[in-house]
Amino acid sequence: MKEITRRKFIATASLATGFALAVQPISAGVITTDAKGLVAGAVKIPVKDGEIPAYRAVPATGENFPIVLVIQEIFGVHEHIQDITRRFAQLGYLAIAPELFVRQGDVSKLSSIDEIRPIVAKVPDEQVLSDLDATVDWAVKSAKGNANKLAITGFCWGGRITWLYAAHNPQVKAGVAWYGRLVGDPSELQPKYPIDIASKLTVPILGLYGGKDTGIPLDTVEQMRVALARGRHGSKSSSSKSQIIVYPDAPHAFFADYRPSYREKEAKDGWKRLLAWFKQNGV
């Protein structure tokens, strides 16, 4: 994509409405969180090469809110991710989900995962981390966010990013990574995986994984546990106190209440653990 076309695309890009086409049909038991008492909807985040769309939800009254970055799955910032931001906002957080694939394409309009994967594969980690820095800056300067109370959570693709952003920005107080890949082959666009930053991580991350996740082998989860322990047993400054929980019977995407992979028991337990983890770490 030529630079001028790319800039034009960013300037005109908008958030998805409803659920991504590739995840239809939607499960009957999908969770819906209303926006009563909130300011919720699309915003534009200034970034290095223009603006990117994001979905923001925050209590309608008050200020100095703790900030939660909500990082998307490969389906983009569609209705499920937007609903999660509203769940946080109903609990008193400023939650914001930036659309991190926008330069590469609108994945919400694609009808299959096979069409989406090549687009997501073109998204550079460096771009993502820079966009998240810009999102935090916007949240503090323009949305009444508290820079000293910053958390991050992400799902699938966003789970991997959760680990990486916590290593990139030590101002993050806590993170929760839901079934993000931990080990992989480095490339020019994705030079590191969570396993590569584990021993140096200072931010406490809670990893929530499924024992029956066919895309994230349990041996890679164990490798990550070992790498995190190595950091804890080293110098005190590199101790992140991160933990990993494995739900033995849960598949991939067990939190995704709009899909057949949803497991209510594990999802509710994970959400409870997430909220406790944030509180325990001052967010």
Side-chain angles (χ1 to χ4, degrees):
M1 192 181 280
K2 291 180 181 177
E3 197 63 35
I4 189 162
T5 311
R6 203 169 96 134
R7 283 206 191 97
K8 185 178 177 183
F9 181 77
I10 294 173
T12 59
S14 59
L15 280 183
T17 54
F19 288 92
L21 194 57
V23 302
Q24 309 289 343
I26 305 306
S27 298
V30 64
I31 295 171
T32 303
T33 307
D34 70 35
K36 187 176 181 182
L38 306 179
V39 175
V43 295
K44 295 282 188 181
I45 306 293
V47 293
K48 285 181 180 177
D49 51 351
E51 292 179 326
I52 60 170
Y55 188 89
R56 173 268 282 116
V58 64
T61 57
E63 58 186 351
N64 217 30
F65 300 106
I67 302 165
V68 182
L69 299 173
V70 180
I71 315 301
Q72 67 212 57
E73 317 148 294
I74 65 168
F75 306 112
V77 182
H78 67 140
E79 178 55 31
H80 175 60
I81 298 299
Q82 295 176 23
D83 195 88
I84 291 169
T85 69
R86 294 193 294 273
R87 294 176 208 179
F88 278 119
Q90 292 290 6
L91 296 171
Y93 290 96
L94 160 60
I96 184 161
E99 180 49 84
L100 299 166
F101 307 157
V102 68
R103 297 170 186 78
Q104 284 70 36
D106 184 356
V107 295
S108 72
K109 303 290 195 299
L110 301 177
S111 59
S112 76
I113 290 179
D114 289 338
E115 291 178 284
I116 291 172
R117 282 199 179 107
I119 288 175
V120 176
K122 293 175 186 173
V123 180
D125 288 347
E126 184 180 2
Q127 170 191 294
V128 172
L129 300 178
S130 174
D131 284 352
L132 289 174
D133 285 343
T135 302
V136 173
D137 191 52
W138 181 90
V140 173
K141 291 180 179 175
S142 305
K144 303 178 182 177
N146 184 343
N148 297 315
K149 292 191 172 186
L150 173 63
I152 183 171
T153 190
F155 305 84
C156 185
W157 181 89
R160 172 180 172 270
I161 295 300
T162 296
W163 291 100
L164 296 182
Y165 190 69
H168 167 80
N169 182 1
Q171 300 308 308
V172 174
K173 292 290 189 290
V176 177
W178 301 77
Y179 36 82
R181 280 188 74 189
L182 298 166
V183 177
D185 296 323
S187 67
E188 186 180 349
L189 296 182
Q190 291 93 31
K192 289 184 180 179
Y193 278 78
I195 192 78
D196 302 314
I197 55 88
S199 63
K200 298 175 183 176
L201 192 63
T202 60
V203 176
I205 302 293
L206 176 64
L208 300 172
Y209 287 81
K212 293 187 176 174
D213 187 332
T214 57
I216 304 175
L218 276 177
D219 67 321
T220 66
V221 178
E222 290 309 312
Q223 286 177 48
M224 188 68 178
R225 274 197 176 125
V226 169
L228 289 167
R230 199 176 296 137
R232 280 196 293 274
H233 298 149
S235 67
K236 287 184 179 178
S237 63
S238 67
S239 173
S240 71
K241 298 180 181 172
S242 296
Q243 297 176 18
I244 291 180
I245 304 292
V246 174
Y247 296 103
D249 297 322
H252 189 72
F254 61 84
F255 191 76
D257 51 75
Y258 64 99
R259 294 168 70 185
S261 57
Y262 180 58
R263 297 294 183 271
E264 183 179 19
K265 179 184 173 185
E266 288 86 347
K268 285 184 173 178
D269 184 78
W271 183 252
K272 189 167 77 173
R273 287 177 185 270
L274 174 150
L275 296 176
W277 189 258
F278 283 1
K279 294 294 184 190
Q280 174 185 324
N281 290 290
V283 184

